[in-house]
Amino acid sequence: MSAPAPKTTLKTVPPSRLAALAGLANNPAFRSALVQLLVFAAVVAGLIWVVSTTADNLKRAGISSGFGFLGQTAGFEISQTLIEYSRSSTYARVFWVGLLNTLLVSVISITASTLIGFVVGVLRLSSNWLVSSLAAAYIGLIRNIPLLLQILFWYIAILMPLPGPRQSYSLWETFFLCNRGVILPRPEFHPGSWLILAFALLAVLSVIALVLWSRRRQRLTGQRFPTFAASLGLLAVLPLLGASLAGFPLTWVIPELRGFNFQGGMTLLPELIALILALTLYTAGFIAENVRAGIQSVDRGQEEAAAALGLRPGTIMRLVVIPQAMRVIIPPLTSQHLTLVKNSSLAVVIGYPDLISVFAGTTLNQTGQAVEIIAMTMLFYLTVSLLISLFMNWYNKRMALKER
Amino acid sequence: MKGKILVLAAAAVFFWTGTALADVLENIKGKGYISCGVAGRVPGFSVPDEQGVWKGLDVDYCRALASAVFNDPEKVRFVPLTTTERFTAVQTGEVDVLSRNTTWTFQRDVEQGIDFAGIIFFDGQGFMVNKNLGVTSAKELNEASICIQIGTTTEMNVSDYFAAHGMTYKPVVFESADEATVIYDTGRCDVYTTDASGLAARRTTLSNPEDHVILPEIISKEPLGPSVRQGDPRWSKIARWTLFALINAEELGVNSQNVDEMLESANPNVKRLLGQEGNFGEQFGLTNAWAYQVIKHVGNYGEIFERNVGPATALKLERGQNDLWTRGGLLYAPPIR
């Protein structure tokens, strides 16, 4: 006999929306996105907190901070500058000079060490006992001696036998070799030089076009074209043609000895040569091992089948084995390239003016802005590493097995 | 490089957490020794001998500090630092004092968060060249290649000097003075430059020292002195007055041999120095006999100089500017009174 319970009207969310919310909460895609967003926000907040407290504490410790120092005059000379630089340039300019010097060494060494590494890696698997033993000995020796020692070794080995500038070896009084480096004539461009450059560019483009055309032609007709010889011809003839059209606007400044040193030429520093040699030979040893592993990962049946078709050993290697080996070679090759760039920072030991030497060394000491300078230097190495990584990953995707 | 990264990492953590450094003197008394940052490979200033015992002018200053605080010159731990990491090490309290032939400059004093205790050695930058170049003056060095050590005032001075005389030069900058010397020895550079005291020390390590000549020009003022972290006035004053005590002792004729007899001296200046009169020591947390302990264990400035860099050593340096003001030098310490 109870009175009927008074009707309480609850303001409820309509069931459809509740279900939608619950559905959203159970939706794995939404959940993972939410979690990632929260983590990202936490990381950013953490970073902001670290930076701001660091700045506060620096201020309290009486150490000036900020990036204002980049506009100040550097006031020191640098032995190798790829861009215009003098003692009255700013610290920002020093950063770029050092950065370019690091990149110069890295690019040359990466190219050379990859080439040498591939050659040695293939030779390591040669059926000729002597050749493969020599390759093995090189790899063993190079990989088991610390890089710093090798850099110092090459530097001292290059410097020791060379005479001073006054007794330097010369070739036709035009090229000189002494302990100041290799001194070459410097090209001097006069108005109209752009034509040479334009024709050189045209040569490169036409070579690319030629290669593509001859490949297609071979696929369609089976006929082959002497691409290599034709390319060389194009590269040699076209720039010359451009020069003659412009009336040869290029003169060479011959270096001559005056006082302590040579004037007027271009100098390849012994520090640069030693560093490139050491980095190249060292990294090539590692790359050779990666190449060997890659080649051995390709089934022997491939080689035999290709041989049964009558292909020559060199062609088998180039067209059948290496393309398949690349899938295994590329990932470790990427790390070798990254390591090389980072190893180039050992330059400061032999006085090559790289980023670490002129910026994280001299500039840091003169300004005392350790936090900012090291942050900028780290950012540079990080950027370069990421770019190499991105490129190699893209290349890896291209080389990956196409599953059809 | 690895060491540099470690020091910088320590610095990063330190500045981020803003570690409140306790009172330095209390801290030192707590751990029982002084951490002293030195160069580590500079003959006459800081270098371990064959038995691994640290020797040198910079080293003896730290021993003097330890004598003042602990009455024991052995209560020091020496930390070798490179030119690039030295300031970070003292800013973060990794070392209590930096005694590393460091030049006192405006920028370092004002912007680096450190305090200089004074000048322990008046130096100036010079040039060393091979005799066969036939150079007799620094003004003849136009276009020369110069071997320099990174991260020093040396780099700046060369640039300033050459610009002022309308000359140019080609630097080859090395991370350590050792490498710079070895490479200079191969003939890669025409010139080796550093502070004059360093040139004398470095010349002894060349393959044929007599083939090299130090040019007469001194191109800069290099007042070298110990420094401490900014923000602890008491420790700063202890560092400063320990140096003054060494100089005052020599001026008053007090040395390690006669310091006990001098306790009986009637001269009030000597009495105040040795803690026989007045209360000069307890105000900054030491005993009144602190200067007595310093002189007893380490000797006065003159003794330290003769022992490490004087004419009887390999460096063969004359007192010159580093003589007392009473004998025509620049050493002049405020009185203890």
Side-chain angles (χ1 to χ4, degrees):
Chain A
M1 286 265 295
S2 55
K7 260 202 169 167
T8 49
T9 46
L10 268 175
K11 270 204 120 175
T12 52
V13 186
S16 62
R17 196 177 300 175
L18 254 180
L21 264 178
L24 202 52
N26 289 331
N27 177 342
F30 171 79
R31 279 218 315 235
S32 82
L34 185 73
V35 168
Q36 286 179 44
L37 195 72
L38 288 175
V39 169
F40 179 71
V43 168
V44 170
L47 270 178
I48 290 171
W49 178 65
V50 166
V51 169
S52 66
T53 44
T54 303
D56 282 356
N57 287 321
L58 281 171
K59 197 177 291 165
R60 233 180 307 150
I63 299 167
S64 37
S65 60
F67 289 94
F69 72 94
L70 286 173
Q72 293 168 10
T73 303
F76 59 93
E77 300 274 1
I78 299 177
S79 60
Q80 177 191 299
T81 57
L82 300 179
I83 49 177
E84 207 58 42
Y85 174 88
S86 73
R87 65 186 302 278
S88 50
S89 305
T90 60
Y91 286 123
R93 196 78 179 168
V94 172
F95 176 76
W96 290 111
V97 167
L99 182 148
L100 286 172
N101 284 344
T102 291
L103 285 181
L104 175 76
V105 166
S106 303
V107 169
I108 295 177
S109 305
I110 281 179
T111 313
S113 66
T114 307
L115 286 173
I116 297 175
F118 264 83
V119 171
V120 175
V122 171
L123 293 183
R124 176 77 187 77
L125 294 172
S126 159
S127 49
N128 180 327
W129 177 85
L130 185 66
V131 169
S132 75
S133 303
L134 278 175
Y138 165 79
I139 293 171
L141 186 72
I142 288 283
R143 288 171 75 217
N144 290 298
I145 296 174
L147 175 60
L148 190 58
L149 275 179
Q150 295 190 36
I151 291 177
L152 284 169
F153 168 82
W154 285 115
Y155 190 43
I156 304 277
I158 287 170
L159 280 186
M160 273 301 185
L162 289 177
R166 294 175 191 185
Q167 296 84 34
S168 54
Y169 304 118
S170 81
L171 209 57
W172 312 301
E173 295 297 315
T174 312
F175 303 91
F176 296 90
L177 176 68
C178 63
N179 61 15
R180 298 291 184 272
V182 180
I183 297 108
L184 311 164
R186 186 166 47 91
E188 201 155 72
F189 297 101
H190 303 289
S193 302
W194 63 269
L195 216 68
I196 306 179
L197 203 68
F199 270 80
L201 203 69
L202 186 70
V204 172
L205 287 175
S206 49
V207 164
I208 293 172
L210 181 76
V211 168
L212 290 174
W213 169 82
S214 77
R215 273 192 196 169
R216 224 180 104 224
R217 179 162 165 267
Q218 195 188 337
R219 264 208 317 276
L220 295 173
T221 66
Q223 287 171 314
R224 300 184 64 181
F225 186 82
T227 320
F228 189 74
S231 305
L232 274 185
L234 276 175
L235 286 174
V237 171
L238 277 175
L240 271 177
L241 187 70
S244 64
L245 280 179
F248 292 103
L250 181 74
T251 50
W252 294 89
V253 182
I254 309 292
E256 54 170 327
L257 184 65
R258 272 215 307 272
F260 287 101
N261 218 322
F262 287 92
Q263 309 295 323
M266 268 194 315
T267 305
L268 291 178
L269 294 176
E271 291 81 38
L272 173 72
I273 299 168
L275 190 66
I276 288 177
L277 256 177
L279 284 173
T280 299
L281 293 176
Y282 180 80
T283 313
F286 287 88
I287 291 177
E289 278 297 84
N290 297 339
V291 171
R292 180 186 61 80
I295 291 174
Q296 286 185 327
S297 75
V298 178
D299 193 63
R300 278 205 64 85
Q302 296 284 324
E303 218 172 316
E304 288 162 4
L309 287 174
L311 292 177
R312 283 192 296 257
T315 325
I316 295 175
M317 204 31 111
R318 207 162 46 92
L319 297 176
V320 178
V321 178
I322 297 275
Q324 297 185 75
M326 282 314 267
R327 288 179 290 116
V328 177
I329 295 174
I330 290 170
L333 186 65
T334 311
S335 9
Q336 289 307 334
H337 291 172
L338 298 182
T339 311
L340 190 150
V341 174
K342 289 178 289 191
N343 281 341
S344 73
S345 63
L346 289 167
V348 66
V349 175
I350 59 167
Y352 175 76
D354 78 325
L355 184 67
I356 296 282
S357 168
V358 298
F359 195 64
T362 306
T363 304
L364 193 155
N365 209 270
Q366 290 182 9
T367 61
Q369 310 282 7
V371 176
E372 295 83 353
I373 287 178
I374 294 297
M376 279 172 77
T377 311
M378 280 162 85
L379 194 67
F380 162 74
Y381 281 103
L382 183 69
T383 310
V384 171
S385 293
L386 287 177
L387 286 175
I388 294 179
S389 239
L390 274 174
F391 172 78
M392 291 302 266
N393 285 341
W394 165 83
Y395 188 62
N396 197 23
K397 272 218 179 62
R398 260 203 52 192
M399 297 300 291
L401 271 184
K402 305 260 193 305
E403 303 201 358
R404 293 183 177 93
Chain B
M1 185 71 216
K2 193 160 276 178
K4 184 193 285 187
I5 295 291
L6 277 178
V7 170
L8 287 165
V13 170
F14 169 85
F15 288 124
W16 164 45
T17 54
T19 312
L21 285 163
D23 182 89
V24 178
L25 185 62
E26 294 307 319
N27 193 353
I28 288 171
K29 283 179 174 168
K31 64 184 179 179
Y33 62 87
I34 294 174
S35 310
C36 169
V38 292
R41 288 200 299 268
V42 182
F45 288 84
S46 58
V47 70
D49 65 6
E50 295 82 11
Q51 286 81 44
V53 179
W54 284 89
K55 291 277 164 66
L57 191 89
D58 287 345
V59 165
D60 279 347
Y61 170 78
C62 284
R63 294 205 194 282
L65 266 181
S67 307
V69 175
F70 295 111
N71 192 16
D72 179 355
E74 296 305 311
K75 292 201 168 164
V76 192
R77 290 204 190 156
F78 295 100
V79 182
L81 296 168
T82 67
T83 43
T84 40
E85 68 197 13
R86 56 186 162 176
F87 299 118
T88 311
V90 72
Q91 286 160 356
T92 56
E94 192 193 337
V95 294
D96 303 312
V97 59
L98 181 68
S99 181
R100 197 205 173 289
N101 35 47
T102 299
T103 308
W104 187 350
T105 67
F106 179 93
Q107 188 268 339
R108 289 170 177 179
D109 205 358
V110 175
E111 297 176 23
Q112 293 267 31
I114 58 175
D115 281 337
F116 281 85
I119 300 169
I120 198 167
F121 194 92
F122 290 89
D123 210 339
Q125 188 176 330
F127 297 111
M128 176 163 65
V129 296
N130 197 313
K131 277 180 185 162
N132 67 23
L133 288 176
V135 172
T136 53
S137 155
K139 295 191 178 68
E140 299 162 19
L141 292 177
N142 195 14
E143 299 284 346
S145 315
I146 304 186
C147 280
I148 316 178
Q149 187 191 2
I150 202 169
T152 52
T153 44
T154 315
E155 278 185 284
M156 307 293 292
N157 297 333
V158 169
S159 187
D160 290 353
Y161 181 81
F162 275 73
H165 291 84
M167 304 192 292
T168 61
Y169 67 99
K170 299 199 165 44
V172 190
V173 187
F174 295 92
E175 184 159 44
S176 85
D178 295 347
E179 261 127 30
T181 315
V182 169
I183 298 302
Y184 166 73
D185 214 4
T186 68
R188 167 67 181 91
C189 306
D190 303 303
V191 185
Y192 182 82
T193 182
T194 185
D195 296 347
S197 60
L199 287 180
R202 289 279 152 199
R203 189 164 63 170
T204 61
T205 67
L206 296 174
S207 46
N208 300 311
E210 60 284 356
D211 288 354
H212 299 267
V213 53
I214 295 173
L215 298 178
E217 283 88 353
I218 295 294
I219 66 163
S220 69
K221 290 196 292 186
E222 304 290 336
L224 308 180
S227 54
V228 297
R229 188 171 57 83
Q230 194 174 306
D232 187 337
R234 182 163 75 163
W235 180 238
S236 201
K237 288 193 193 325
I238 290 173
R240 174 167 304 155
W241 281 92
T242 301
L243 175 58
F244 291 159
L246 294 171
I247 296 168
N248 279 324
E250 184 179 11
E251 193 176 324
L252 297 166
V254 183
N255 59 39
S256 55
Q257 265 70 51
N258 69 8
V259 66
D260 286 315
E261 298 148 43
M262 283 289 193
L263 287 173
E264 318 300 319
S265 164
N267 181 343
N269 282 315
V270 176
K271 282 188 146 145
R272 286 192 291 266
L273 172 73
L274 299 179
Q276 295 300 299
E277 196 176 279
N279 185 16
F280 304 102
E282 283 173 2
Q283 292 107 321
F284 59 18
L286 304 177
T287 61
N288 286 337
W290 63 280
Y292 164 83
Q293 295 165 7
V294 168
I295 297 152
K296 178 87 187 143
H297 293 301
V298 185
N300 65 29
Y301 183 91
E303 288 177 90
I304 292 174
F305 189 97
E306 297 305 323
R307 183 164 66 222
N308 294 307
V309 297
T313 65
L315 274 75
K316 297 186 179 47
L317 295 175
E318 296 298 330
R319 283 295 291 267
Q321 295 179 317
N322 292 294
D323 212 334
L324 292 172
W325 63 286
T326 50
R327 295 198 289 257
L330 295 172
L331 291 180
Y332 184 106
I336 293 179
R337 62 183 320 155

